[in-house]
Amino acid sequence: MALRSEEGRMSDSVNQLNTFGTLHASLYDIIYSTKDYDCECNTLKELFVQFGDASKVARVLDLGCGTGNHALRLSQDGYLITALDSSEAMLEVARSKAEAYENDVRFINGDLRYLDSSLAMPPFDAVIMMFTVLGYLTSNEDLLRGLLNVHDMLRPGGIFVADYWYGPAVLASGATTRVRDISHNGIRILRTAEGVIDIDSQLYSMTIRFLLWLDEHRVEEVVEHHQMRFFFPRELELAFAQCNLEVLGHIGFPDHTKPPDTANWWAAIVAKRRDYDQ
């Protein structure tokens, strides 16, 4: 990771509205090094079997793939993965990591609300949206655009899995301020995330601040603003139905053997493409 002095700081530092820019992308895997991607991918594979039809899941589209942590692991298990993200900086990290894997992953820069089918090359047996990518579809219009594209990317009977922030749990615990202080290879990273809840809009607004030190000298400061939508099961069922996606289950995540509950913000929804002649 390249760091510069205060005089030569990266352009992201002065762009206070930047989201998933160069610095965040370079720190992403360090910040989330404790996230159990292996467990989440095992859950996905089990859901493909549990909710899939007689056709084997082979081709998977990962929407909002970030630095490729799900895509690359699934590729190692023999799945043919196409992965899309709107942040080129995140994709650069993903492509660099992909060099260490035997199986190729096709990484595409794009917006999941406006998918180019000629780039994604459907149909897919499964589509996934992980790490609350669904929550970045904050308006009803964007949510429906995204879900319609999921429908169009899937073959009939294909499976869609997305994790999301479970509304009852968010309201039960309220907004939080989370602080992580990480040391890695001589670099200190202080990440703070302050949240504010707008109940009427079902939005959780986060201000994320990164402070970096190299050899005890502060060299970088970046502020990002993120808005995430939290969801309730019945509203998701209504939105999915409008996009011809049949909801098969609401589950806890990553432990899919338990239902969602107010002690855990994370839940997942599983659906399949349903066509009128089915």
Side-chain angles (χ1 to χ4, degrees):
M1 179 181 66
L3 295 177
R4 298 183 184 177
S5 67
E6 197 73 17
E7 292 77 12
R9 62 170 52 185
M10 301 180 204
S11 60
D12 298 272
S13 304
V14 297
N15 182 0
Q16 299 299 291
L17 296 178
N18 180 53
T19 302
F20 295 120
T22 305
L23 182 62
H24 194 164
S26 66
L27 302 176
Y28 191 86
D29 289 338
I30 300 173
I31 294 168
Y32 295 109
S33 61
T34 59
K35 185 174 174 64
D36 196 343
Y37 288 102
D38 290 330
C39 175
E40 293 186 9
C41 288
N42 286 335
T43 293
L44 287 171
K45 290 183 289 184
E46 291 175 15
L47 293 175
F48 293 161
V49 173
Q50 179 180 348
F51 292 100
D53 55 22
S55 301
K56 181 181 178 181
V57 171
R59 299 186 69 230
V60 179
L61 175 62
D62 183 357
L63 295 177
C65 66
T67 61
N69 289 308
H70 295 98
L72 292 170
R73 283 170 171 81
L74 289 174
S75 75
Q76 285 293 92
D77 291 321
Y79 295 94
L80 302 175
I81 308 294
T82 298
L84 176 140
D85 202 276
S86 61
S87 169
E88 184 59 38
M90 298 285 270
L91 290 175
E92 287 179 8
V93 176
R95 293 185 185 109
S96 177
K97 289 159 56 176
E99 296 176 1
Y101 287 77
E102 294 180 0
N103 297 319
D104 291 333
V105 175
R106 189 163 177 266
F107 288 106
I108 302 171
N109 181 239
D111 188 325
L112 65 86
R113 298 169 300 174
Y114 308 103
L115 277 178
D116 184 343
S117 60
S118 66
L119 292 177
M121 297 192 304
F124 292 92
D125 303 308
V127 174
I128 61 174
M129 282 188 197
M130 306 312 297
F131 213 165
T132 195
V133 167
L134 191 68
Y136 280 94
L137 302 175
T138 55
S139 70
N140 289 336
E141 293 80 6
D142 282 351
L143 177 62
L144 293 177
R145 284 193 193 101
L147 293 178
L148 284 169
N149 280 328
V150 168
H151 173 276
D152 292 345
M153 292 294 113
L154 284 170
R155 62 165 171 79
I159 296 297
F160 175 46
V161 183
D163 63 13
Y164 65 94
W165 281 356
Y166 183 56
V170 174
L171 297 184
S173 64
T176 62
T177 297
R178 300 176 183 178
V179 180
R180 295 199 63 192
D181 195 338
I182 305 164
S183 295
H184 178 81
N185 291 342
I187 301 168
R188 180 189 173 198
I189 306 163
L190 182 65
R191 177 189 183 271
T192 60
E194 297 181 88
V196 176
I197 295 176
D198 183 333
I199 295 177
D200 291 337
S201 299
Q202 292 179 216
L203 294 179
Y204 190 93
S205 298
M206 280 194 301
T207 299
I208 301 177
R209 183 183 303 273
F210 297 97
L211 295 175
L212 274 75
W213 287 263
L214 182 62
D215 298 328
E216 299 183 354
H217 297 286
R218 198 174 91 179
V219 295
E220 203 70 60
E221 179 177 357
V222 174
V223 178
E224 294 186 358
H225 302 285
H226 296 246
Q227 278 196 328
M228 315 274 289
R229 181 171 176 172
F230 50 91
F231 294 99
F232 296 83
R234 294 195 70 181
E235 70 169 317
L236 285 177
E237 290 171 8
L238 181 61
F240 277 52
Q242 290 186 58
C243 300
N244 218 16
L245 294 166
E246 179 184 354
V247 174
L248 303 176
H250 298 277
I251 55 177
F253 194 81
D255 185 356
H256 66 290
T257 64
K258 299 178 180 179
D261 64 70
T262 56
N264 179 19
W265 282 30
W266 294 95
I269 185 168
V270 185
K272 72 174 182 178
R273 171 172 168 163
R274 181 174 178 84
D275 292 304
Y276 293 110
D277 58 352
Q278 288 185 290

